[in-house]
C-alpha cells in the first residue's frame, strides 16, 4: 500500500537527475539541535571532500513517502550517507527503522554511516532489533559503518551488527580536523561493488 501511494517523481528532486550526488539520509530537520548540528557538519564535510557532487538533504520524515522519487533520480554509483549520532539502538526505533530501509532500498550503492554509537539494549526488544539490523547490514556489499568511539567496535553481542560490514573509528567532533576520516571516505566511493570487506580500523583523535 505504501509503495502504491509513493509519488514516482518529485519536482524538488528532478534537478539532481543525471548529476553525481550524495544523499544525507535521516537529515536532522526535527527539533534536536545536536542532530541539526550533525547534519550541517556532515553537509559541509561532503562539500569539502566531494566538491563535484550535489548534496541532497533527505529528512527521516521523507524516508517513506519520497523514497520512490529519490530512487528514480539516483544511479547505482550515487553515494548514500546516514546521519551521525547515537541512534543505532532500540530507543530511537523510527530512525533505526529508516536506516535499515535505506540500506535495503539501495542494495548496490556505496553507503556510509557517519559516526554512530551502537547501543542496543539487552532486553528482548533490543536483541530482536539488533538481530534485524545485523541481518540487513550484513547483506550489503558496499556498506561502511563508522563507530563513534572504540567501544562501539568492541561490542561482543550474540548478533553483532558489525560482523559483516567494514567498520572504522572516527569521533563525531573531528569532522573538520580528522584527515583519516577524509581519506577513508574518499577511498570508499572508489571501491567497486564486491564481497564485503574485512574490518579496517582507523584511529582519529577527537578535538
Amino acid at each position: 500500500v505504501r509503495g502504491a501511494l509513493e509519488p514516482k517523481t518529485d519536482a524538488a528532486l528532478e534537478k539532481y537527475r543525471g548529476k553525481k550526488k550524495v544523499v544525507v539520509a535521516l537529515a536532522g530537520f526535527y527539533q534536536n539541535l545536536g542532530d541539526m548540528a550533525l547534519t550541517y557538519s556532515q553537509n559541509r564535510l561532503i562539500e569539502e571532500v566531494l566538491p563535484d557532487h550535489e548534496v541532497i538533504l533527505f529528512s527521516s520524515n521523507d524516508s517513506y513517502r519520497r523514497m520512490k522519487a529519490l530512487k528514480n533520480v539516483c544511479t547505482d554509483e550515487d553515494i548514500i550517507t546516514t546521519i551521525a549520532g547515537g541512534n543505532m539502538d532500540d530507543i530511537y526505533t523510527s530512525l533505526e527503522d529508516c536506516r535499515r530501509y535505506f540500506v535495503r532500498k539501495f542494495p548496490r550503492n556505496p553507503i556510509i554511516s557517519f559516526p554512530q554509537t551502537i547501543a542496543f539494549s539487552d532486553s528482548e526488544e533490543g536483541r530482536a532489533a539488533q538481530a534485524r539490523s545485523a541481518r540487513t547490514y550484513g547483506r550489503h556489499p558496499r556498506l561502511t559503518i563508522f563507530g563513534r568511539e572504540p567501544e562501539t567496535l568492541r561490542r561482543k553481542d550474540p548478533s553483532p551488527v558489525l560482523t559483516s560490514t567494514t567498520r572504522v573509528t572516527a569521533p563525531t567532533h573531528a569532522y573538520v580536523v580528522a584527515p583519516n576520516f577524509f581519506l577513508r571516505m574518499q577511498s570508499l566511493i572508489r571501491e567497486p561493488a564486491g564481497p564485503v570487506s574485512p574490518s579496517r580500523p582507523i584511529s582519529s583523535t577527537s578535538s
Side-chain angles (χ1 to χ4, degrees):
V1 175
R2 178 195 298 159
L5 296 175
E6 288 180 16
K8 293 182 179 179
T9 60
D10 185 306
L13 294 174
E14 282 298 318
K15 65 182 180 181
Y16 298 106
R17 185 183 295 278
K19 299 179 180 179
K20 293 193 292 185
K21 50 194 165 289
V22 180
V23 177
V24 178
L26 317 187
F29 295 122
Y30 39 87
Q31 291 186 344
N32 181 310
L33 293 180
D35 286 348
M36 290 173 68
L38 289 170
T39 298
Y40 173 79
S41 299
Q42 190 161 326
N43 187 16
R44 287 287 303 276
L45 173 61
I46 293 167
E47 289 176 342
E48 181 172 342
V49 176
L50 301 170
D52 59 336
H53 285 61
E54 300 285 336
V55 180
I56 301 177
L57 299 180
F58 206 75
S59 77
S60 57
N61 294 331
D62 290 334
S63 298
Y64 302 109
R65 65 184 180 88
R66 298 178 70 199
M67 177 59 75
K68 188 176 291 185
L70 178 64
K71 283 182 62 65
N72 200 28
V73 300
C74 287
T75 71
D76 288 349
E77 293 310 310
D78 288 323
I79 302 161
I80 309 300
T81 70
T82 58
I83 193 174
N87 50 57
M88 192 177 284
D89 53 32
D90 54 307
I91 298 174
Y92 301 100
T93 55
S94 62
L95 290 175
E96 181 61 4
D97 287 344
C98 286
R99 190 174 5 255
R100 288 193 294 258
Y101 186 62
F102 262 92
V103 172
R104 290 195 302 270
K105 286 295 183 178
F106 290 92
R108 299 182 182 86
N109 294 70
I111 300 181
I112 301 171
S113 171
F114 272 57
Q116 272 288 333
T117 295
I118 300 176
F120 292 97
S121 69
D122 194 30
S123 66
E124 182 177 349
E125 293 80 5
R127 290 190 295 273
Q130 179 171 284
R132 288 194 295 273
S133 293
R135 285 194 301 271
T136 299
Y137 302 153
R139 291 168 180 162
H140 199 289
R142 304 180 76 182
L143 169 65
T144 296
I145 296 176
F146 282 84
R148 193 159 62 166
E149 67 289 294
E151 289 72 18
T152 285
L153 304 187
R154 289 198 293 261
R155 287 171 60 89
K156 303 288 186 181
D157 302 305
S159 300
V161 173
L162 298 179
T163 294
S164 301
T165 62
T166 302
R167 64 269 197 182
V168 295
T169 306
T172 299
H173 301 294
Y175 281 160
V176 295
V177 293
N180 281 342
F181 187 82
F182 283 10
L183 294 172
R184 184 72 188 104
M185 183 174 171
Q186 287 175 320
S187 70
L188 285 170
I189 67 171
R190 292 193 293 267
E191 292 178 0
V196 176
S197 304
S199 170
R200 287 168 288 186
I202 292 177
S203 297
S204 298
T205 302
S206 177
S207 61

